[in-house]
């Protein structure tokens, strides 16, 4: 009777030869004869162990152990969601499979679209710098794109001199490198370094080869995600001001963090006639390229309305509301526009579904009271009036998007309280620099564990002299 083949585990299709049999053929039965006399109480004879069956059991146990190991390592790789985390996991798993202590992975997509990076295991930045000077063909491939095995770098004839020199400097005596490839793309290569002359045997080469085939597929997916995020971030940055204007009587600073999907948060600072300044922040609902494109259209329209009638923020937002309702009825947006007169330190602002600005001074830290209004695209008619207030010398006005509050992970009332506390805790020595004020608020307010990182954040600080 044949033994059943071992089950497939986690997508790994092991090439396991089917054994010819599991039990040795029974010897021919002896001829029947008179039964010998057996004393009462004598235990039955114990059959001698079958050497062939024990060997097969050992082989099956080894195959199951290998498959279990590959399953666990592949599952850990698939749980990674960031490219750098996946590369670090690949290095750790590969080092365990080939019995090495150090290694590096060079991500160099064959299509040339990037990103390109080199990550080390047990290697410092200076060590990676030395290894970068070794020709790629000498270190990572055998010249034909296959594995590069250097079992003894100091005894191997014809080795690249630079490779031997770097090995002596870093203290490794052998290396084993494999390409990272999928069925359709070349991603780069990984190399593991041994402190003594060594090389993985055929069994461990088979295991690491199977693991890298699975890992490369996951890396290819993360690479596409990384490229998409980078494109969305680049598009967003290109649609926002490349620099802030410089006007007498006011200093500006902005901090903008884009979520992985590329959201629709924006900011703007626009010089206006009569030495005035227009400041705006806002957010378009949704995410991805569609929200980014809508944000660009909305911000460009707001700039035009601000130039024509910026001294009346309600008129600016009313025009923007009408435009959004007519051209993109399926979208809504929040917005705040402030008309600033730096010489008089006077600000007139209006908001649509947006959080109130925060005023930070030597003697006060308080939210500006603004009229309530629904978001743009949801107004039947404009009912919220504008608000006018003055700021004192050296005071800073903070404009921000709701993503700053959402990233705290708190309910909105607690998030507002935490923002107020973060602003009030800015040291006096930093309050003369709006950039330092913004950095302190973000550092104090946002959690270090990355909670809410899918939200866009805009924090615009304006300090009046």
């Amino acid at each position: 009777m044949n033994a059943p083949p071992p089950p497939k585990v986690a997508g790994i299709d092991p090439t396991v030869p089917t054994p010819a049999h599991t039990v040795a053929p029974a010897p021919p039965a002896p001829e029947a004869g008179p039964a010998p006399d057996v004393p009462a109480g004598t235990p039955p004879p114990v059959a001698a162990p079958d050497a062939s069956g024990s060997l097969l059991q050992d082989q099956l146990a080894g195959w199951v152990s290998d498959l279990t190991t590959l399953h666990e390592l592949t599952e850990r790789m698939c749980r990674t969601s960031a490219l750098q985390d996946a590369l670090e996991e690949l290095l750790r798993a590969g080092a365990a499979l080939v019995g090495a202590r150090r290694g590096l992975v060079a991500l160099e997509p064959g299509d040339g679209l990037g990103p390109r990076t080199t990550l080390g295991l047990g290697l410092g930045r200076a060590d990676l710098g030395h290894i970068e000077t070794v020709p790629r063909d000498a270190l990572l491939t055998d010249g034909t794109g296959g594995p590069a095995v250097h079992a003894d770098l100091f005894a191997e004839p014809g080795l690249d001199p630079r490779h031997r020199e770097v090995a002596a400097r870093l203290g490794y005596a052998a290396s084993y490198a494999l390409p990272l490839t999928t069925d359709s793309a070349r991603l780069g290569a990984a190399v593991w370094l041994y402190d003594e002359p060594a090389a993985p045997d055929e069994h461990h080469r088979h295991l690491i080869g199977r693991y890298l085939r699975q890992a490369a597929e996951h890396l290819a997916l993360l690479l596409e995600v990384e490229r998409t995020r980078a494109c969305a971030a680049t598009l967003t940055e290109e649609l926002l001001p490349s620099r802030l204007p410089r006007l007498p009587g006011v200093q500006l600073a902005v901090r903008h963090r884009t979520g992985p999907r590329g959201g629709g948060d924006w900011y703007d600072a626009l010089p206006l006639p009569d030495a005035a300044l227009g400041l705006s922040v806002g957010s378009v609902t949704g995410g991805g390229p569609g929200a980014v494109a809508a944000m660009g259209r909305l911000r460009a329209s707001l700039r035009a309305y601000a130039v024509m009638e910026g001294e009346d923020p309600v008129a600016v937002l009313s025009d923007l509301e009408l435009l959004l309702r007519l051209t993109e009825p399926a979208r809504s947006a929040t917005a705040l526009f402030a008309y600033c007169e730096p010489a008089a330190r006077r600000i007139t602002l209006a908001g649509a579904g947006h959080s109130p600005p925060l005023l930070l001074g030597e003697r006060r830290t308080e939210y500006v009271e603004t009229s309530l209004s629904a978001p743009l695209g949801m107004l039947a008619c404009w009912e919220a009036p504008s608000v006018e207030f003055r700021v004192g010398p050296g005071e800073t006005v903070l404009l921000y998007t709701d993503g700053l509050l959402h990233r705290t992970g708190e309910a909105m009332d607690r998030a507002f309280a935490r923002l107020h506390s973060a602003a009030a805790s800015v040291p006096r020595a930093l309050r003369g620099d709006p950039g330092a004020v913004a950095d302190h608020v973000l550092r104090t307010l946002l959690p270090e564990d990355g909670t809410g990182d899918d939200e866009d954040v805009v924090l615009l600080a304006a300090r009046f002299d």
Side-chain angles (χ1 to χ4, degrees), residues 165-178:
E165 179 183 347
V166 170
R169 178 186 291 269
L170 301 185
Y172 65 89
S175 66
Y176 180 66
L178 281 171

Side-chain angles (χ1 to χ4, degrees), residues 335-398:
L336 185 146
F337 177 74
Y339 179 79
C340 307
E341 300 171 82
R345 293 194 298 275
R346 182 169 55 237
I347 298 176
T348 306
L349 66 84
H354 206 83
S355 300
L358 182 59
L359 186 60
L360 172 62
E362 291 292 331
R363 299 182 179 180
R364 59 175 176 171
T365 301
E366 60 188 28
Y367 288 102
V368 177
E369 293 187 8
T370 57
S371 301
L372 296 177
S373 168
L376 300 176
M378 297 183 178
L379 295 168
C381 63
W382 194 278
E383 298 178 353
S386 61
V387 174
E388 181 179 311
F389 64 97
R390 291 180 180 271
V391 296
E395 292 189 330
T396 300
V397 179
L398 298 178

